[in-house]
Amino acid sequence: MYDYLIVGAGLFGATFAYEASKRGKSCLVVDKRTHIGGNVYTEEVEGINVHKYGAHIFHTNSKEIWDYVNQFVEFNRYTNSPVANYNGEIYNLPFNMNTFNKLWGVITPEQAKQKIEEQKKATEIEVPKNLEEQAISLVGTDIYQKLIKGYTEKQWGRPATELPEFIIKRLPVRFTYDNNYFNDKYQGIPVGGYTQIIEKMLEKSEVRLNEDFFTKRAELEKVAKKIVFTGMIDQYYEYRHGVLEYRSLLFENKLLRGVNNYQGNAVVNFTDSKTPYTRIIEHKHFEFGNQEDTIITKEFPTEWTKEDEPYYPVNDENNNEVFRQYKTLADKEENVIFGGRLATYKYYDMHQIIGSALKTVEKEFKI
Ligand code: FAD
Ligand code: UDP
């Protein structure tokens, strides 16, 4: 008998397992994948740490969370500064004075603000009600057309007018010449990749891979006093209130022999609507690699079905309403804790996952 059965060896499950075993609790961690780490998993190929589930850049404003991850591994000084490729025109991201200058030739922040204000006025949006209106209110129609609409509609598979505005608020808009994608105080990539963090977190737990909770549910529900569940909450409740929708991704990896530097940046976004992928990642640049070869990954957004990996929750009103019904059931459980991106159906970044796992730990162990 274990104290905890943890379903999912991703960042949430691993953080919980680490904290519980530190307190002398026994944990069995099961994951249906063949490896630990969930979506933060990295794998070394030809000396390059490949982010197997897309670019992962750690960033946080919290000193506590930064110190927490740094206890497991050293972080480098990587600062995410993706560039956007719109039909061969290159723009800096996030939207900042470099972007505005290239687009309109403006020099000062005042000129840039004026340009955006003019474009916003022409559309007569007062209170933005969806992603399109929110984007235009923030940066005007030119940037919306060239850098947001195509990318967003590929990424989410639906018109920007049907998407919640919070998605676009993830990106900073800056009136300085600063290409740092994040506003957070702390940022970096673990030297040697993310997997070692998870390995250290799970050192004292028993881990079983290739094990789907749902194929052995009756047996697994009996092996521990409590369950920490980080899979899909609707599946846990056998979809009784309906299926929560996700967006999925296909990753196409290529090893390019003899190519030292393919695109000059770790992340290039393709913001036109015709290119079928949203980004190309060149992994070596996350760790300033100088290998002779390079590895690139094209990221293709796809429609999600129950057979695919659920990467992004689609937090529109319908799905949020379905989620609320599952949440009501979850709140009544005495011996099951739901956590992580899938069980809480939230578009959480890594620092937020660690933050919420530590909150769960505080509550569970009455710290
Ligand atoms: P997951 O990593 O999804 O882990 C859940 C685990 O549970 C998985 O391993 C899964 O196999 C397992 N599981 C599910 N169901 C079952 C079952 N029935 N039985 C057994 N096991 C099961 N965050 C950032 O901070 N910075 C970034 O740059 C960033 N980039 C991202 C890019 C992409 C493409 C994506 C998809 C996410 C990105 N994130 C980023 C978010 C980050 O990946 C998540 O915040 C984090 O990985 C979530 O951890 P988790 O443990 O909640 O979920
Ligand atoms: N986005 C965009 N153009 C870009 C990059 C992002 O329009 O070049 C929008 C898009 O809707 C995306 C959202 O901003 O889903 C959030 O972007 P982020 O880079 O945070 O996405 P993630 O890394 O989570 O996929």
Side-chain angles (χ1 to χ4, degrees):
M1 193 76 179
Y2 298 88
D3 291 308
Y4 295 96
L5 167 73
I6 299 173
V7 180
L11 194 53
F12 189 97
T15 306
F16 188 91
Y18 177 74
E19 292 298 327
S21 31
K22 213 164 80 180
R23 291 169 174 80
K25 304 291 179 195
S26 56
C27 301
L28 170 64
V29 182
V30 298
D31 202 298
K32 62 181 177 185
R33 295 187 188 173
T34 55
H35 58 75
I36 57 170
N39 292 340
V40 310
Y41 175 65
T42 51
E43 189 179 284
E44 196 190 305
V45 181
E46 305 276 331
I48 298 168
N49 291 306
V50 176
H51 294 209
K52 290 297 259 196
Y53 298 92
H56 276 75
I57 298 103
F58 199 94
H59 57 97
T60 180
N61 246 332
S62 156
K63 171 128 179 33
E64 192 193 335
I65 287 174
W66 183 241
D67 289 344
Y68 189 79
V69 287
N70 275 272
Q71 71 179 303
F72 301 106
V73 67
E74 184 193 339
F75 277 72
N76 70 17
R77 58 153 187 89
Y78 178 83
T79 299
N80 199 31
S81 323
V83 294
N85 181 327
Y86 175 75
N87 295 327
E89 294 168 27
I90 297 291
Y91 294 95
N92 285 113
L93 294 173
F95 315 117
N96 71 83
M97 285 307 295
N98 290 309
T99 329
F100 307 142
N101 172 266
K102 174 109 188 226
L103 197 63
W104 301 313
V106 294
I107 306 285
T108 67
E110 216 36 60
Q111 291 167 338
K113 283 181 189 164
Q114 208 177 337
K115 196 85 191 163
I116 291 171
E117 203 44 45
E118 273 166 28
Q119 299 198 348
K120 191 181 150 184
K121 257 203 191 124
T123 60
E124 294 177 350
I125 299 165
E126 286 186 1
V127 183
K129 287 183 294 298
N130 54 51
L131 194 152
E132 175 173 296
E133 293 187 359
Q134 180 68 60
I136 293 171
S137 301
L138 286 171
V139 284
T141 38
D142 288 347
I143 290 187
Y144 174 66
Q145 290 298 341
K146 287 192 168 185
L147 303 182
I148 297 176
K149 186 174 167 38
Y151 186 102
T152 295
E153 294 187 345
K154 286 191 290 190
Q155 168 76 0
W156 296 97
R158 56 202 79 207
T161 46
E162 290 174 19
L163 286 164
E165 60 267 32
F166 82 86
I167 294 176
I168 201 68
K169 286 199 199 145
R170 285 171 60 85
L171 306 191
V173 179
R174 260 190 224 121
F175 293 91
T176 51
Y177 288 90
D178 177 1
N179 297 327
N180 182 351
Y181 203 57
F182 302 112
N183 281 329
D184 288 345
K185 238 190 237 170
Y186 309 100
Q187 181 173 179
I189 301 275
V191 178
Y194 286 90
T195 307
Q196 53 185 324
I197 301 180
I198 308 290
E199 271 165 5
K200 287 187 184 156
M201 286 175 158
L202 294 177
E203 236 161 33
K204 292 195 179 138
S205 299
E206 186 181 330
V207 179
R208 288 191 207 153
L209 297 174
N210 251 325
E211 186 143 317
D212 189 326
F213 173 74
F214 295 108
T215 59
K216 285 194 176 173
R217 183 167 189 162
E219 188 190 314
L220 286 171
E221 278 179 338
K222 288 192 215 113
V223 303
K225 292 177 201 150
K226 279 195 169 183
I227 297 177
V228 175
F229 184 80
T230 75
M232 296 190 296
I233 192 166
D234 52 351
Q235 190 177 15
Y236 185 89
Y237 288 111
E238 292 158 336
Y239 305 106
R240 70 181 74 160
H241 294 305
V243 177
L244 291 167
E245 291 175 292
Y246 285 90
R247 283 297 279 171
S248 196
L249 297 169
L250 269 180
F251 298 103
E252 188 187 282
N253 302 313
K254 263 194 201 142
L255 167 65
L256 303 176
R257 293 233 178 256
V259 179
N260 167 260
N261 185 1
Y262 173 76
Q263 63 181 11
N265 208 28
V267 184
V268 177
N269 290 1
F270 291 78
T271 58
D272 64 291
S273 58
K274 289 206 187 74
T275 307
Y277 43 88
T278 44
R279 323 187 241 216
I280 298 184
I281 313 297
E282 187 171 11
H283 302 268
K284 71 193 312 179
H285 296 308
F286 288 125
E287 296 185 59
F288 317 106
N290 202 18
Q291 297 86 349
E292 279 174 21
D293 306 325
T294 197
I295 296 173
I296 60 163
T297 302
K298 288 182 180 164
E299 199 172 306
F300 297 82
T302 60
E303 210 46 58
W304 173 84
T305 68
K306 283 184 193 163
E307 281 69 51
D308 303 311
E309 285 291 345
Y311 290 115
Y312 292 94
V314 181
N315 289 107
D316 62 15
E317 272 171 35
N318 289 342
N319 286 310
N320 287 344
E321 178 49 36
V322 172
F323 173 71
R324 270 192 286 278
Q325 298 180 48
Y326 288 119
K327 174 88 171 49
T328 307
L329 295 174
D331 287 344
K332 290 187 194 131
E333 302 278 358
E334 283 181 6
N335 296 318
V336 189
I337 296 167
F338 293 85
R341 235 191 198 200
L342 302 173
T344 59
Y345 200 61
K346 285 210 175 65
Y347 191 176
Y348 273 149
D349 279 333
M350 292 180 278
H351 61 291
Q352 294 166 312
I353 290 289
I354 292 179
S356 78
L358 292 178
K359 276 229 164 68
T360 305
V361 165
E362 269 175 32
K363 205 167 148 207
E364 183 65 8
F365 299 104
K366 305 193 172 52
I367 303 167

